[in-house]
Amino acid sequence: MRILKNILVTGGAGFIGCNFIRFLLEKADGFSGRIINLDVLTYAGNRMSLADIEAKYGSMAQVRYFFEQGDICDRAFVESLFKKYDIDTVVHFAAESHVDRSILGPEAFIKTNVMGTFTSLDVARNAWKDSSSSPEGGSIRQDVLFHHISTDEVYGSLGETGYFTESTPYDPRSPYSASKAGSDHLAMAYSHTYGLPVTLSNCSNNYGPYQFPEKLIPLMILNMLEGKPLPVYGDGKNIRDWLYVEDHNAAVWAVMRNGTTGETYNIGGENEWENIKLVNVLVDIVSAKTKLDTAKIRGAITYVKDRPGHDRRYAIDCSKIKRELGWKQTVSFEEGLARTVDWYLANPQWIESIRSGEYRRWIEKNYGERG
Ligand code: NAD
Ligand code: DAU
């Protein structure tokens, strides 16, 4: 079992990263070290998501949480953090993460997801050179870890049957998934070529608190609350496999603690839903928890033009992580959706903060009514 001390979390102000930091400091077994959250704060990054964590762990005698605003593409800055905090672990969440945005503007995805991952890996490789080896030998410490977070989208699209396993060939089909595939290959190349201790996980669709309201579930919840149309792409029959974000993060932690370096672990919910069926379930939950009229909300479901290149079905075989690391899902979809709706109902301030800035203007410009 690895003992991880000074963990650099990239993208920790985003949806999964902020939940990961919360999980690590408040719930995870076996972590008493420090977290350094490196985030450039794009439209998707919000420091407010960790305001309570910052207050609690950023001001104790032995400070355990630090926030550093910066870009993972900025080599000098990333290098300075490795020195300043004696980083021994990286968990790399930072990315441009929204497929629709990657179709409208792929460049930022190539910069952050490919170049940013390359820069982070390369800084780690240099910072973690084993000082006891000869300078030419350049061997790398093995008491360190770079965990790269990726997605099931790198495997492409499934037909009606079958599952993605760790040996499914990569077949990315959107600029987002192509950029993530590139980053995965770089991470594995650094492991293979330089001996950098790397683990990789590919996860299915996450949902839960603090998710930016451009993704299906929070977008639908907020549009329902605001009486807006509920845009369903194409015929609504595309299928995604949904996992509660805390279960994803517990899996990531299991890999970081006990996973084998040089290996990939698939993480999934074993919980496949057609989009239209999921939206209908959300209508039921939201109307049950508010005074809103079920028929009126359901009537707002609007089929809109399909996403170009829209992958039909994702489904993950996560038997490897279950078998080898003893991980399993703990939150049922019913429970997770109820918690998620409750969270959005209870946090109007967070929603307002995220909607007031760059995001609002961008989404209106590109999506008009949909936002
Ligand atoms: P998100 O968009 O909510 O958050 C991304 C974070 O990265 C933001 O805080 C943003 O400010 C930061 N960031 C972006 N560019 C940066 C840069 N150049 N330098 C530093 N910080 C930068 O994303 P998310 O949904 O939390 O996804 C996190 C990771 O998990 C991504 O790598 C994504 O590919 C992967 N993933 C997401 C899902 C999902 O369902 N959301 C599923 C599987 C894998
Ligand atoms: O599978 C993992 C991936 O899941 C992650 O790697 C991505 O970062 C994450 O954004 C997510 O990608 P998707 O494209 O699957 O998520 P999104 O929430 O954008 O869409 C989910 C499904 O819902 C998809 O089939 C498209 C559809 N959709 C989405 C939106 C935003 C709609 O029908 N209407 C919408 O308004």
Side-chain angles (χ1 to χ4, degrees):
M1 188 172 296
R2 291 183 191 90
I3 307 292
L4 309 169
K5 292 191 285 257
N6 296 320
I7 303 186
L8 182 69
V9 179
T10 71
F15 162 50
I16 306 179
C18 82
N19 279 290
F20 180 77
I21 289 172
R22 194 173 294 283
F23 168 81
L24 214 51
L25 288 167
E26 309 251 273
K27 291 197 178 165
D29 282 337
F31 179 66
S32 54
R34 303 188 299 173
I35 290 176
I36 298 86
N37 177 3
L38 164 59
D39 198 301
V40 78
L41 299 180
T42 65
Y43 75 94
N46 186 355
R47 241 176 127 165
M48 193 187 256
S49 302
L50 286 163
D52 56 328
I53 290 289
E54 205 156 337
K56 188 167 164 192
Y57 295 93
S59 60
M60 46 200 327
Q62 293 265 309
V63 179
R64 295 190 61 204
Y65 174 76
F66 301 82
F67 180 77
E68 295 277 359
Q69 185 169 0
D71 193 327
I72 54 164
C73 300
D74 181 348
R75 174 181 281 267
F77 187 66
V78 182
E79 276 170 355
S80 76
L81 297 184
F82 270 73
K83 288 206 184 80
K84 183 172 169 189
Y85 295 104
D86 191 19
I87 299 299
D88 57 61
T89 309
V90 177
V91 53
H92 180 41
F93 291 96
E96 290 292 340
S97 68
H98 189 38
V99 174
D100 292 331
R101 285 179 189 257
S102 83
I103 295 166
L104 288 163
E107 193 171 346
F109 288 71
I110 306 307
K111 279 192 182 140
T112 287
N113 301 358
V114 181
M115 284 307 293
T117 300
F118 156 70
T119 305
S120 307
L121 286 162
D122 210 54
V123 169
R125 173 171 83 92
N126 282 306
W128 291 340
K129 278 203 175 122
D130 188 348
S131 53
S132 63
S133 75
S134 68
E136 316 81 65
S139 65
I140 291 178
R141 282 169 54 189
Q142 294 299 303
D143 59 341
V144 292
L145 183 71
F146 191 110
H147 181 73
H148 178 58
I149 302 287
S150 193
T151 170
D152 58 0
E153 298 200 10
V154 297
Y155 297 123
S157 182
L158 290 165
E160 280 174 21
T161 57
Y163 297 91
F164 299 134
T165 72
E166 286 81 357
S167 53
T168 301
Y170 274 32
D171 180 24
R173 293 148 50 100
S174 72
Y176 164 70
S177 54
S179 68
K180 290 297 291 187
S183 69
D184 292 11
H185 289 317
L186 281 167
M188 281 314 183
Y190 269 66
S191 165
H192 187 75
T193 305
Y194 302 115
L196 188 74
V198 169
T199 46
L200 169 59
S201 53
N202 294 81
C203 189
S204 64
N205 286 60
N206 284 216
Y207 70 99
Y210 303 101
Q211 186 168 29
F212 194 83
E214 64 187 351
K215 309 282 164 58
L216 181 70
I217 289 180
L219 177 92
M220 290 294 167
I221 296 171
L222 296 190
N223 282 14
M224 286 177 202
L225 297 177
E226 293 167 9
K228 290 184 178 172
L230 308 175
V232 173
Y233 297 169
D235 64 2
K237 295 197 169 160
N238 298 66
I239 291 175
R240 296 293 181 268
D241 167 16
W242 294 94
L243 179 68
Y244 193 64
V245 63
E246 200 170 295
D247 277 339
H248 178 196
N249 284 330
V252 167
W253 185 232
V255 175
M256 289 172 69
R257 293 260 281 167
N258 291 310
T260 305
T261 55
E263 291 209 11
T264 298
Y265 295 84
N266 277 357
I267 305 167
E270 297 176 303
N271 178 38
E272 292 179 50
W273 283 80
E274 273 183 5
N275 292 334
I276 186 62
K277 288 196 177 141
L278 168 52
V279 172
N280 273 299
V281 168
L282 278 173
V283 168
D284 294 335
I285 299 175
V286 168
S287 56
K289 287 182 182 289
T290 60
K291 301 231 176 318
L292 297 169
D293 180 63
T294 315
K296 203 172 161 202
I297 314 182
R298 211 179 301 286
I301 293 177
T302 312
Y303 288 93
V304 299
K305 191 166 173 287
D306 207 356
R307 170 187 282 174
H310 196 175
D311 287 339
R312 192 63 173 171
R313 173 172 167 259
Y314 303 143
I316 277 272
D317 174 343
C318 53
S319 52
K320 176 178 173 181
I321 188 170
K322 287 186 155 177
R323 189 177 59 247
E324 293 187 8
L325 302 181
W327 171 85
K328 62 177 191 307
Q329 308 90 349
T330 63
V331 181
S332 70
F333 203 35
E334 196 184 1
E335 171 64 21
L337 285 178
R339 281 194 210 172
T340 305
V341 171
D342 285 342
W343 189 86
Y344 281 93
L345 286 172
N347 287 280
Q349 241 192 314
W350 184 90
I351 294 161
E352 179 47 35
S353 84
I354 212 150
R355 287 190 143 181
S356 57
E358 164 74 358
Y359 156 68
R360 198 59 249 166
R361 288 188 292 278
W362 193 95
I363 212 109
E364 267 163 11
K365 194 167 138 234
N366 291 286
Y367 291 108
E369 258 303 279
R370 279 192 209 172

